[in-house]
């Protein structure tokens, strides 16, 4: 115990000397240390990286730091050094605006389009959407479910879901809206840097976060009837990212689903929001994802049928999907 105490005091002495040499003020150092502690504790790459080395290298980026703002280059350096391709730093918004409103999509919009193509096939084109407003997420989920229900009423033979414009944001309203179509209890799973697993599951008209025996409702549908199981062709591309990849994972492994296009961007990782003392914001990749069959996802998700989207028009792309849907419909999988 005595040796440990001496070693701890010695380490503090070295750190104090180092920061003095770098001419960093106590306020700036405390601010950065809090950010560093949160990142080190919660990053899903915690066990893969030498955080002591990262700390020392980050301090070099804030020589002469006196204010919180002077530490921003060091925080950006730290997040880039994680090499998770997903974490980012956002400084405080100007004029006292809310960081949440700055990061949220404009309220009132619908982040997808729905149509019938070729007379018999439903087409959904998903778009990026980001909000933590429960009422708005509920509105989006209801709208998505209503579009799917209307397609069912029109007796479509199959669905095409285009993920190529879905670059990220919020997963919940999409998972909730699609749940009656997926017909599975487990929609998506997350695994943190300690190996703890949690799941997003479907139950009745809602989706829930499940951890061991505890469940918490995340989103719900006003009206709910299970939808008919249809063949589903999913199109992905290099801009399908983050939330887009997680929504995609909820469909993977289903016997009536086939994916087409290009590999996704490769950031299917869950995020943690870290708010700092001056309202600056770190969006940190804190968990990996897995599907209902316990397959883990950390990098790009490969399509079942791969081709370069730049070589195809939108019409040609959807024609490929329709050809497969027609094969399934007439009984030739």
């Amino acid at each position: 115990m005595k040796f440990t105490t001496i070693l701890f005091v010695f380490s503090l002495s070295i750190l104090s000397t180092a920061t003095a040499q770098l001419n960093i003020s106590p306020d700036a150092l405390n601010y950065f240390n809090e950010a560093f502690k949160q990142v080190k504790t919660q990053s899903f790459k915690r066990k893969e990286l030498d955080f002591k080395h990262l700390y020392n290298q980050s301090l070099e980026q804030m020589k002469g730091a006196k204010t919180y703002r002077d530490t921003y280059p060091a925080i950006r350096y730290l997040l880039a050094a994680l090499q998770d391709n997903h974490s980012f730093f956002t400084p405080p918004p100007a004029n006292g605006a809310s960081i949440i409103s700055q990061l949220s999509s404009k309220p009132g919009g619908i982040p997808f389009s729905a149509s019938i193509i070729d007379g018999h096939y439903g087409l959904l084109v998903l778009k990026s959407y980001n909000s933590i407003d429960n009422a708005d997420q509920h509105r989006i989920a209801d709208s998505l479910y209503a579009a799917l229900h209307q397609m069912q009423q029109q007796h479509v033979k199959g669905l095409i879901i285009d993920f190529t414009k879905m670059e990220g944001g919020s997963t919940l309203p999409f998972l909730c809206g699609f749940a009656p179509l997926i017909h599975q209890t487990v929609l998506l799973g997350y695994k943190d840097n300690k190996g703890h697993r949690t799941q997003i599951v479907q139950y009745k008209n809602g989706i829930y976060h499940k951890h061991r025996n505890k469940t918490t409702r995340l989103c719900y549908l006003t009206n709910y009837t299970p939808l008919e199981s249809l063949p589903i062709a999913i199109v992905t591309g290099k801009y399908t990212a983050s939330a887009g990849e997680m929504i995609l994972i909820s469909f993977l492994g289903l016997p009536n689903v086939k994916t087409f296009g290009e590999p996704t961007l490769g950031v299917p990782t869950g995020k943690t929001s870290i708010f700092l003392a001056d309202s600056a914001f770190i969006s940190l990749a804190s968990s990996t994802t897995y599907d209902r069959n316990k397959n883990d996802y950390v990098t790009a998700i490969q399509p079942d049928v791969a081709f370069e989207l730049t070589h195809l028009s939108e019409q040609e792309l959807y024609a490929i999907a329709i050809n497969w849907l027609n094969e399934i419909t007439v009984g030739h999988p």
Side-chain angles (χ1 to χ4, degrees):
M1 178 65 71
K2 183 177 180 180
F3 175 76
T4 303
T5 302
I6 293 173
L7 182 60
F8 176 71
V9 172
F10 179 66
S11 298
L12 286 179
S13 177
I14 293 176
L15 177 61
S16 177
T17 301
T19 54
Q21 291 174 346
L22 294 172
N23 196 25
I24 301 171
S25 75
D27 282 348
L29 183 62
N30 289 337
Y31 179 87
F32 174 77
N33 283 347
E34 179 59 27
F36 180 85
K37 181 180 73 173
Q38 296 288 343
V39 170
K40 178 182 177 181
T41 301
Q42 300 185 65
S43 169
F44 81 87
K45 302 192 77 172
R46 178 183 180 182
K47 296 180 180 179
E48 302 175 29
L49 300 172
D50 182 350
F51 274 91
K52 181 179 179 180
H53 176 72
L54 286 182
Y55 181 80
N56 292 331
Q57 292 297 109
S58 299
L59 289 183
E60 291 289 334
Q61 310 303 312
M62 48 189 277
K63 290 179 179 177
K66 303 301 180 188
T67 66
Y68 293 168
R69 183 172 295 275
D70 294 336
T71 71
Y72 295 170
I75 295 174
R76 290 192 174 98
Y77 175 88
L78 171 64
L79 297 178
L82 298 177
Q83 296 185 340
D84 60 30
N85 301 315
H86 204 185
S87 299
F88 64 87
F89 172 79
T90 301
N95 302 321
S98 166
I99 188 68
I100 299 300
S101 62
Q102 179 175 308
L103 296 173
S104 297
S105 301
K106 185 177 180 180
I110 297 294
F112 64 88
S113 62
S115 59
I116 305 294
I117 62 173
D118 205 34
H120 301 288
Y121 303 97
L123 171 65
L124 285 168
V125 180
L126 307 186
K127 302 173 185 177
S128 299
Y129 164 81
N130 195 27
S131 176
I132 63 169
D133 182 86
N134 291 336
D136 200 54
Q137 291 192 4
H138 171 60
R139 178 183 65 85
I140 298 300
D142 271 353
S143 298
L144 178 57
Y145 173 77
L148 291 167
H149 188 267
Q150 185 176 10
M151 288 178 181
Q152 179 174 282
Q153 297 299 104
Q154 294 178 270
H155 305 290
V156 296
K157 295 181 179 180
L159 294 175
I160 300 170
I161 306 177
D162 186 342
F163 279 78
T164 59
K165 298 178 179 65
M166 204 338 168
E167 300 180 14
S170 302
T171 61
L172 299 183
F174 295 96
L175 289 178
C176 190
F178 280 130
L181 180 69
I182 293 174
H183 300 294
Q184 297 286 327
T185 299
V186 177
L187 300 174
L188 178 68
Y190 295 97
K191 185 170 67 173
D192 67 17
N193 60 20
K194 296 180 181 178
H196 298 152
R197 292 179 181 265
T198 60
Q199 296 174 333
I200 295 179
V201 299
Q202 175 188 7
Y203 179 68
K204 294 185 177 179
N205 70 324
I207 61 172
Y208 292 74
H209 179 266
K210 181 179 180 181
H211 178 54
R212 297 175 181 171
N213 295 324
K214 183 179 180 181
T215 57
T216 305
R217 192 173 74 174
L218 302 172
C219 191
Y220 72 99
L221 297 171
T222 303
N223 300 304
Y224 167 76
T225 303
L227 298 171
E228 179 185 352
S229 181
L230 293 169
I232 302 171
I234 291 178
V235 182
T236 64
K238 61 185 178 181
Y239 297 115
T240 306
S242 188
E245 291 170 296
M246 287 182 262
I247 300 162
L248 169 64
I249 289 169
S250 70
F251 285 94
L252 298 183
L254 297 178
N256 58 320
V257 171
K258 195 163 191 173
T259 58
F260 301 82
E262 296 174 332
T264 62
L265 182 64
V267 288
T269 45
K271 307 293 284 291
T272 293
S273 299
I274 300 171
F275 295 92
L276 302 178
D278 61 346
S279 297
F281 170 82
I282 294 174
S283 181
L284 180 71
S286 56
S287 62
T288 57
T289 48
Y290 64 93
D291 62 25
R292 64 184 57 87
N293 296 316
K294 299 294 179 67
N295 298 308
D296 293 321
Y297 297 88
V298 181
T299 58
I301 301 170
Q302 303 297 321
D304 297 319
V305 180
F307 45 76
E308 291 188 28
L309 299 182
T310 54
H311 296 162
L312 295 171
S313 67
E314 196 172 78
Q315 185 176 6
E316 291 171 328
L317 173 62
Y318 294 152
I320 293 172
I322 287 173
N323 286 340
W324 176 76
L325 290 172
N326 190 52
E327 290 177 2
I328 295 295
T329 302
V330 298
H332 299 287

